Amino acid sequence: MIERLENITKKYEELEKQLMSPEIINDIKAATAISKEKVLLEDIVIAYEKYKKILVQIDETKELVSDSELGLMAKEELESLQMQKEKLEEEIEILLIPKDENDTKNVIIEIRGAAGGAEANIFAGDLYEMYTRYAANLGFKTELISSMPGEAGGFSQIEFMVKGNNVYSKFKYESGAHRVQRVPSTESQGRVHTSTATVAVIPEQKNVDIEIKESDLKVDVYRSSGAGGQSVNTTDSAIRITHIPTGIVVTCQNERSQIKNREKALQILKNKIYEENAKKKEEEEGALRRSKIGTGDRSEKIRTYNYPQNRITDHRINLTVMQLDRIMLGKLEEIIEPLITEDLKRKLAGE
């Protein structure tokens, strides 16, 4: 670990020198890239400096332990320093874990009603409400992209963006199949039904360098429906773009202008193609870590929401919380924080 920390410190110092050089000072693009790289190393370097100082203090205090007058105080001080050293070692271990470069990014979330017909669509709407409340609690902003309302309520499909600081780090564990067990409003005999909705969370990649040929696109224009305001629904401004080579379909209806909806739809399409390519590359290179909590696939059942028992269970970490009502009101940190902790634990164990 010490050797790695020394190398990081040297790299940090090199970056500092580069930022002071005339060539870099006059090159805004290069300076920005170097500054970002330097910031990523800063916390590790600061922690390592503290660690080195504590090691020096420990050596100095050990020499005083045998002193007849200062021995008792020195022994107490030594115990305190040893505890600080151990705590710093734990912090440094965490800081040395490779960071997910997507953690700081905004996300695009798509929810679909799956098995269960009308009830699945209603549940998709409940998940949308849960996520928007959770986002608001964290100070994030949500922006509707498109929606297809269900006949009995909820949505057969809804797509929205969440913007803020480190959004993906909070939402990245939500991709997969969510199962609900409850008595549907349409059920006359009070029987509990099981339905599912699927969630896909995609980190927003700005300035994605993906070439899309116009000939590969099928573009449909239609009138917006659902949330978005009355004025949105008076013209054929909504856009549906199908990328023929991949079969990816993107819709956008939240803007009044057809041109703006098309621009946004194309950007989302690029993000989805990028994400699809990244997953394929991971699989081909065998880079899907065993420690990763969930694969992000829609088909993977990640969670059960049992309304009669007020119970929510995350199957990936065998976590059960008997406060489903609170969680549906946006108190999702009671599930998210244990997922983050478990993910970190697995990475520290090198699984």
Side-chain angles (χ1 to χ4, degrees), residues 135-160:
N137 291 342
L138 294 173
F140 298 156
K141 291 182 179 180
T142 55
E143 179 184 302
L144 181 69
I145 296 169
S146 68
S147 65
M148 293 176 63
E151 290 182 7
F155 303 94
S156 61
Q157 182 175 328
I158 185 164
E159 199 164 9
F160 60 103

Side-chain angles (χ1 to χ4, degrees), residues 8 12 15 33-46 95-101 104:
I8 289 170
Y12 183 82
L15 293 171
I34 292 169
S35 294
K36 283 182 179 178
E37 191 177 356
K38 179 174 168 281
V39 167
L40 290 173
L41 303 178
E42 201 158 38
D43 288 344
I44 299 173
V45 172
I46 291 169
L95 287 169
L96 286 173
I97 293 172
K99 292 189 172 53
D100 187 336
E101 62 181 18
T104 59

